[in-house]
Amino acid sequence: MSSREVIVLTVGGVRFVTRASTLQQFPESRLARMVNDDDREFKLVNGEFFVDRDGALFSYIMDFLRTLQVSLPTDFSDYQRLQREAEFYGLYPLADLLSQEHLLRPRLEILEVRFSLQEMQTIFRIFGSCSTTIEALAEQITVFTGQQSGQGWNSPFPCQKPLIPLPLERPSHHDMVFLCGTEYSAGDQFVARYVSIKPDNRKLINGTNVLGLLFDTLLKDGFRLISTRTVTSEEKVECYTFERMKRAAGLTIMVNQTPGSSGVAQARRNQVQKGK
């Protein structure tokens, strides 16, 4: 790689090394003009460009130029300052996205688990403010059913007959219902329901064990427990509320270039779903 292809910038005391082509993604920007020696405000000192601007915010500018996507940390709050920096560098497509702050801010997501412990079985009902999270969780949870003889709630022995997967109850897009444990069938026969939550391969019949595994799954997925309460003591219904900050969908600039032209023909916004 020639020295002309590598550009070194010191922005507010922070040093960046990148390709010239990265800075030329938007040919009408000041960074592209800097590479072409067409902007006198950017001083070349000892082979490095010196820019008297915010170096921490420039790291997000560089990430945008490298990926053409705006994806900010969940704790980011300096939208207006970053917009001003984008305008200073002449990156107006980025400044336009940042002006629509509501699209970029992370959103608080609430999940509620209701746990009803009965004599021989447990009923779970999960409500979520985000339907896509409920859909993803429904794909992880599988209920298996089978018959067993003379065994009750706490039996450590699996059914002799093959277990059959059951669909989860979905009253709406925002909740699901499932059961585990046993219920009396006929004679000495019991219908047993086991619950499995991916990626764990165990099939659990005890409701308390299923609740513990569900908690572990939610905590690993970024949720945190914020409250517990008893809904009805007579029916033994407990409610557990979780929350997490869900990263906003990534916003991508699509750059279309016409053949034989170094300029940007068009820039448009697309939303790209990232993560859960």
Side-chain angles (χ1 to χ4, degrees):
M1 186 178 296
S2 68
S3 59
R4 189 62 181 171
E5 292 176 317
V6 177
I7 302 295
V8 180
L9 303 91
T10 299
V11 183
V14 183
R15 194 168 184 264
F16 297 88
V17 181
T18 187
R19 293 173 179 266
S21 58
T22 300
L23 300 175
Q24 293 170 324
Q25 288 278 12
F26 297 88
E28 296 179 0
S29 71
R30 295 187 69 184
L31 291 171
R33 297 202 304 269
M34 177 193 73
V35 173
N36 298 327
D37 298 325
D38 290 335
D39 195 311
R40 296 181 179 179
E41 186 170 341
F42 296 111
K43 304 297 183 181
L44 188 62
V45 180
N46 297 326
E48 299 183 11
F49 286 99
F50 172 76
V51 185
D52 190 16
R53 301 293 293 191
D54 191 304
L57 291 178
F58 189 74
S59 64
Y60 300 116
I61 301 282
M62 284 302 308
D63 181 66
F64 168 74
L65 291 173
R66 287 166 175 153
T67 66
L68 296 181
Q69 187 173 100
V70 185
S71 183
L72 301 171
T74 55
D75 60 350
F76 185 81
S77 60
D78 288 338
Y79 293 93
Q80 291 184 350
R81 290 182 60 211
L82 184 56
Q83 181 183 348
R84 287 199 301 268
E85 293 301 296
E87 291 171 349
F88 170 81
Y89 292 110
L91 297 170
Y92 297 109
L94 174 58
D96 179 51
L97 288 184
L98 291 167
S99 69
Q100 303 178 67
E101 186 178 323
H102 65 283
L103 297 177
L104 298 170
R105 280 193 176 277
R107 298 177 182 179
L108 182 65
E109 183 177 354
I110 301 295
L111 194 75
E112 183 180 277
V113 177
R114 293 199 175 191
F115 173 77
S116 177
L117 183 62
Q118 301 182 3
E119 183 178 352
M120 296 178 63
Q121 63 183 7
T122 303
I123 302 173
F124 290 85
R125 187 161 191 171
I126 304 176
F127 301 85
S129 61
C130 179
S131 61
T132 55
T133 296
I134 296 297
E135 292 288 346
L137 195 57
E139 292 181 1
Q140 289 180 262
I141 298 174
T142 306
V143 177
F144 298 89
T145 185
Q147 287 190 336
Q148 59 185 30
S149 300
Q151 304 291 344
W153 160 264
N154 289 315
S155 170
F157 304 105
C159 302
Q160 294 179 353
K161 295 182 180 180
L163 296 177
I164 301 170
L166 291 176
L168 302 179
E169 294 182 41
R170 295 295 307 277
S172 74
H173 293 296
H174 289 271
D175 63 338
M176 71 175 77
V177 178
F178 60 92
L179 285 75
C180 67
T182 60
E183 62 181 349
Y184 179 74
S185 177
D188 64 347
Q189 296 292 313
F190 288 84
V191 175
R193 288 185 176 88
Y194 297 81
V195 174
S196 176
I197 305 178
K198 298 176 182 176
D200 194 292
N201 293 320
R202 292 174 296 170
K203 295 179 176 64
L204 304 176
I205 194 172
N206 185 286
T208 303
N209 293 339
V210 173
L211 182 65
L213 180 57
L214 180 60
F215 272 35
D216 287 344
T217 302
L218 294 176
L219 294 174
K220 289 177 181 177
D221 203 25
F223 284 96
R224 66 185 187 96
L225 181 65
I226 59 172
S227 71
T228 62
R229 61 188 175 92
T230 300
V231 179
T232 56
S233 56
E234 295 82 4
E235 298 178 5
K236 298 181 180 178
V237 179
E238 301 291 333
C239 179
Y240 304 90
T241 304
F242 296 81
E243 72 173 17
R244 73 173 173 182
M245 294 301 294
K246 186 178 182 182
R247 185 185 296 275
L251 293 178
T252 301
I253 294 289
M254 302 299 293
V255 181
N256 299 324
Q257 293 185 336
T258 57
S261 171
S262 61
V264 177
Q266 182 183 9
R268 61 186 175 89
R269 295 190 303 274
N270 276 349
Q271 280 196 332
V272 179
Q273 186 67 36
K274 291 186 65 182
K276 299 176 182 178

